[in-house]
Amino acid sequence: HRVLRAQRAFLCGYDCMGMESVDDEQMLRRAAENLEKIDCVGVLETLDDLLLQMKTYLDFIPREVTSFPYYNEVRRGGKSNPTRDTLLKLKSYVKEEQLLYQRARELSFQRTAQA
């Protein structure tokens, strides 16, 4: 389940890396606290909005850059069809991650509006 907790662990910071004594609830709390401290917050669905934040708060994004390049292509016909049991397991594993994502999404909209 480590892959499913990757964002939480990353945002939690060095305090949470490799420490078995930090439980999931503590890790989520620290990750949420650290998320609030980040100047520019973006989510995949509105990634181009992150550029506006970066141009406002950071000085290394050229003004003429208005979107990220889209080099990835969608793979046709490669979609998996997980079973109902698999979907339930995944949902239980990512429940806390979803809370963190929702807060990141809110911050993304707020910070873009302020930029």
Side-chain angles (χ1 to χ4, degrees), residues 72-95:
N72 293 335
E73 293 182 22
V74 176
R75 198 175 62 178
R76 305 280 182 221
K79 190 174 182 180
S80 65
N81 293 312
T83 65
R84 183 174 171 2
D85 287 343
T86 300
L87 287 174
L88 289 173
K89 284 180 184 177
L90 285 171
K91 284 182 182 181
S92 72
Y93 295 150
V94 298
K95 185 178 179 182

Side-chain angles (χ1 to χ4, degrees), residues 92-110:
S92 72
Y93 295 150
V94 298
K95 185 178 179 182
E96 292 85 10
E97 296 296 318
Q98 189 64 25
L99 296 172
L100 194 58
Y101 168 79
Q102 289 299 330
R103 183 59 188 143
R105 190 162 192 242
E106 292 168 5
L107 285 172
S108 174
F109 290 130
Q110 288 173 9

Side-chain angles (χ1 to χ4, degrees), residues 31-109:
E33 290 169 359
N34 288 338
L35 180 63
E36 300 291 330
K37 299 174 187 176
I38 297 174
D39 292 329
C40 301
V41 178
V43 293
L44 187 58
E45 297 91 328
T46 57
L47 195 57
D48 287 341
D49 290 347
L50 181 60
L51 285 171
L52 178 59
Q53 294 177 48
M54 293 169 75
K55 287 181 195 178
T56 302
Y57 302 115
L58 307 172
D59 63 355
F60 63 86
I61 303 295
R63 290 278 169 209
E64 61 273 7
V65 175
T66 58
S67 66
F68 284 94
Y70 296 94
Y71 298 126
N72 293 335
E73 293 182 22
V74 176
R75 198 175 62 178
R76 305 280 182 221
K79 190 174 182 180
S80 65
N81 293 312
T83 65
R84 183 174 171 2
D85 287 343
T86 300
L87 287 174
L88 289 173
K89 284 180 184 177
L90 285 171
K91 284 182 182 181
S92 72
Y93 295 150
V94 298
K95 185 178 179 182
E96 292 85 10
E97 296 296 318
Q98 189 64 25
L99 296 172
L100 194 58
Y101 168 79
Q102 289 299 330
R103 183 59 188 143
R105 190 162 192 242
E106 292 168 5
L107 285 172
S108 174
F109 290 130

Side-chain angles (χ1 to χ4, degrees), residues 14-28:
Y14 290 110
D15 293 341
C16 297
M17 296 301 185
M19 293 180 60
E20 299 301 323
S21 62
V22 178
D23 65 26
D24 286 344
E25 191 173 313
Q26 288 175 309
M27 187 182 287
L28 181 62

